[in-house]
Amino acid sequence: FVVDDEEEEDDGEWNGDDEPEWDGEETDEGEDDAPEKPKKAKTKEERMNAARDKWAAPAPVATAATATATTATTTMTATTTTTTAGADARPSSSAVDESKLLVALSLQPDGSTAKELASFLKLDKSAVNGALYRLQSAGKASKTETGGAPTWRSNSAAPPAAPAPVDVPSSAPAPTAAAPPPSSISPPDKDAVDGQICALSRQKRLVVGEYRGRKNVSLREYYEKDGKWLPGKKGISLAPEQWSILRDSIQGVNARVAAVSDGSYPQGGDECVVKLNPNGSRRVTVGTFRNATMVGVREFYEKDGKWLPGMKGISMPTEQWEQVVKHAGKVDEALGGA
């Protein structure tokens, strides 16, 4: 049987009828060439379920090496934190010895600020502030608002009593006499300031200084910083002629002090004894504070027809005033060289 080659030729058009139909089953043929179907985006609920399953999965078990490294890192962090905290640590208010704070307050009858007390006791200001408010709550200290930093005073008329002396055997040396209160002790020479005539207390000084080429007499509180005593804001400086009026009025001031102390001159507050300048703004007054007689040298201001005490000035208990009287001659000598 011979087939003629011409019978194999097909010059008709392809109409697809002779191709087998696809029955829906996948085959391996041409799989790599088939276009990839786009993935269907997950719904919000599906994403939340997947996240919940991930969170609920148990944590991986740490190996010994991982646990050791984690422990070392934690220990190093804690050590660093402790070291840093220790370097910046300051005494809390509970660290302040309130008995020492009360003694310091009693040394300044006209009051002290928290900053001054912190400098005196070598403590943190915030710690001293907290202790002062605790003493106020306990009724042991009181606060006076003066427009600036509040002034604190002890509610005790005198410093806390010293403990009773201990019996000393006869073979032991006799005890030495008790030292006088700090307010009557002049500071050592190393604490003296330029132009100092005398120390009225550890902080209050009577000084003859110079300002713009002219001498003056200063009654002022000083504070210690970096081993040096510097003048503070509390105090007043008198021109030579104002000091002369004060010196000439010493006898009258002493008479008023005696009358107030024995009750023969009743009064409710500081009363003017002498005016130191023509308009009467600078005055010497005598009054009482917590049953203690006080002498004030202060600048006053007029408001609504009344003269009120200002910030410039100083108040002295009688023993400090007596030191001013005692050294008046030395003040005159220092001014005489002007």
Side-chain angles (χ1 to χ4, degrees):
F1 178 73
V2 178
V3 179
D4 194 342
D5 292 338
E6 294 180 357
E7 294 181 2
E8 294 292 330
E9 294 179 3
D10 186 1
D11 55 356
E13 295 182 0
W14 179 79
N15 56 14
D17 294 338
D18 295 334
E19 293 290 329
E21 295 183 359
W22 180 62
D23 57 4
E25 296 183 359
E26 294 183 0
T27 63
D28 295 337
E29 296 180 4
E31 184 174 359
D32 293 339
D33 298 333
E36 184 178 357
K37 295 181 180 180
K39 293 183 180 181
K40 185 179 179 181
K42 291 183 179 181
T43 64
K44 180 178 179 180
E45 182 178 359
E46 288 174 339
R47 291 197 302 272
M48 293 180 63
N49 290 337
R52 183 164 51 248
D53 293 340
K54 182 178 180 181
W55 295 336
V61 179
T63 62
T66 304
T68 302
T70 303
T71 303
T73 303
T74 304
T75 304
M76 185 179 298
T77 303
T79 303
T80 304
T81 303
T82 303
T83 303
T84 304
D88 296 335
R90 293 180 178 271
S92 62
S93 60
S94 59
V96 177
D97 189 333
E98 294 182 2
S99 62
K100 292 183 178 179
L101 187 56
L102 284 172
V103 172
L105 283 172
S106 66
L107 297 179
Q108 299 295 331
D110 53 339
S112 299
T113 64
K115 182 177 180 180
E116 293 168 343
L117 291 167
S119 175
F120 177 70
L121 297 172
K122 306 296 185 184
L123 293 171
D124 182 68
K125 178 185 173 183
S126 60
V128 172
N129 228 356
L132 286 170
Y133 279 100
R134 289 206 317 275
L135 290 174
Q136 184 186 35
S137 300
K140 297 179 181 180
S142 59
K143 179 180 67 170
T144 303
E145 299 288 350
T146 58
T151 300
W152 294 87
R153 294 180 174 86
S154 171
N155 287 341
S156 302
V166 180
D167 292 337
V168 181
S170 56
S171 58
T176 57
S183 60
S184 62
I185 300 177
S186 295
D189 292 340
K190 67 182 183 66
D191 289 340
V193 300
D194 291 341
Q196 177 173 312
I197 301 299
C198 72
L200 307 180
S201 69
R202 187 170 187 271
Q203 290 178 298
K204 292 180 185 177
R205 314 291 175 90
L206 173 60
V207 175
V208 173
E210 187 174 325
Y211 181 70
R212 292 181 178 177
R214 192 180 185 201
K215 290 192 175 183
N216 59 63
V217 180
S218 178
L219 290 162
R220 189 168 301 278
E221 287 190 6
Y222 283 68
Y223 65 96
E224 189 177 10
K225 182 178 181 181
D226 300 331
K228 295 182 179 180
W229 285 90
L230 304 175
K233 293 182 179 180
K234 283 188 176 181
I236 190 169
S237 296
L238 304 177
E241 58 271 19
Q242 294 173 358
W243 164 256
S244 296
I245 297 173
L246 185 150
R247 181 201 58 212
D248 294 340
S249 304
I250 286 176
Q251 186 175 355
V253 174
N254 287 342
R256 180 67 61 86
V257 168
V260 171
S261 299
D262 63 19
S264 60
Y265 187 88
Q267 42 84 46
D270 291 349
E271 290 199 5
C272 178
V273 179
V274 61
K275 298 177 182 178
L276 302 179
N277 59 349
N279 66 358
S281 60
R282 293 194 165 197
R283 305 180 176 189
V284 179
T285 61
V286 176
T288 57
F289 180 75
R290 293 198 181 97
N291 298 323
T293 304
M294 306 289 290
V295 178
V297 181
R298 188 168 298 278
E299 188 169 288
F300 284 67
Y301 65 96
E302 190 176 9
K303 183 178 180 181
D304 300 331
K306 295 182 180 180
W307 286 91
L308 304 175
M311 297 294 292
K312 290 183 179 181
I314 197 165
S315 296
M316 300 170 284
T318 53
E319 62 267 21
Q320 294 179 7
W321 166 250
E322 289 169 0
Q323 290 295 314
V324 175
V325 174
K326 179 180 177 181
H327 293 85
K330 290 186 177 181
V331 173
D332 289 339
E333 292 177 6
L335 290 175

